[in-house]
Each structure stands twice: as structure tokens, then as C-alpha cells.
């Protein structure tokens, strides 16, 4: 369980601390499919849409290894 007094943000998937510049903690990031990780690294006009796809699926409890984002 994350420390409630910590300044680091919580991972939206598992609740552990994560780097503020990252979408997920390292453990959860490693569970995403390779193609999803590569797409989330891209900084183009669809980057925000991909991030929205990720967060929507996390809210819907989609298993990390099944998450898909806009290509």
C-alpha cells in the first residue's frame, strides 16, 4: 500500500508509487504488451488519445497484458 504522506503519485493500476513523469509504475509498465508501450512512447497528434485509451481500460479493470491503444 502506498504511503499517504508520499509526494510521489500513485500508479493508476496498482496504487504503488510511480515516477511523476511516467504513466505507470515499472512493474505495471512491464506487463503492458510491447506494442502498447511503443505506442505510448510516441509523441504525435494521437498521443493524448492513446493515454485516454490506457486510462479508460485501467478504470474498466482490463488486465494489463490485454490493454490496447489507438495505433
Amino acid at each position: 500500500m502506498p504511503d499517504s504522506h508520499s509526494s510521489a503519485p500513485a500508479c493508476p493500476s496498482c496504487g504503488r508509487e510511480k515516477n511523476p513523469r511516467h504513466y505507470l509504475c515499472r512493474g505495471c509498465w512491464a506487463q503492458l504488451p510491447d506494442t502498447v508501450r511503443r505506442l505510448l512512447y510516441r509523441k504525435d497528434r494521437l498521443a493524448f488519445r492513446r493515454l485516454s485509451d490506457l486510462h479508460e481500460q485501467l478504470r474498466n479493470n482490463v488486465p494489463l497484458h490485454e490493454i490496447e491503444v489507438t495505433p
Side-chain angles (χ1 to χ4, degrees):
M1 198 85 189
D3 180 359
S4 62
H5 299 294
S6 173
S7 60
C11 173
S13 178
C14 70
R16 291 185 299 228
E17 287 185 5
K18 69 173 190 69
N19 183 315
R21 295 174 52 192
H22 296 164
Y23 301 132
L24 303 171
C25 71
R26 294 177 97 179
C28 291
W29 182 258
Q31 294 180 58
L32 291 174
D34 291 339
T35 54
V36 171
R37 289 196 309 262
R38 281 194 298 273
L39 287 167
L40 288 169
Y41 275 129
R42 292 177 68 182
K43 305 297 183 219
D44 59 13
R45 64 183 182 82
L46 295 174
F48 184 76
R49 177 66 198 156
R50 288 187 205 101
L51 184 57
S52 296
D53 291 345
L54 172 66
H55 282 282
E56 179 180 348
Q57 291 172 78
L58 291 173
R59 281 191 301 275
N60 290 322
N61 298 310
V62 174
L64 291 170
H65 67 277
E66 295 179 10
I67 287 181
E68 298 177 352
V69 296
T70 302

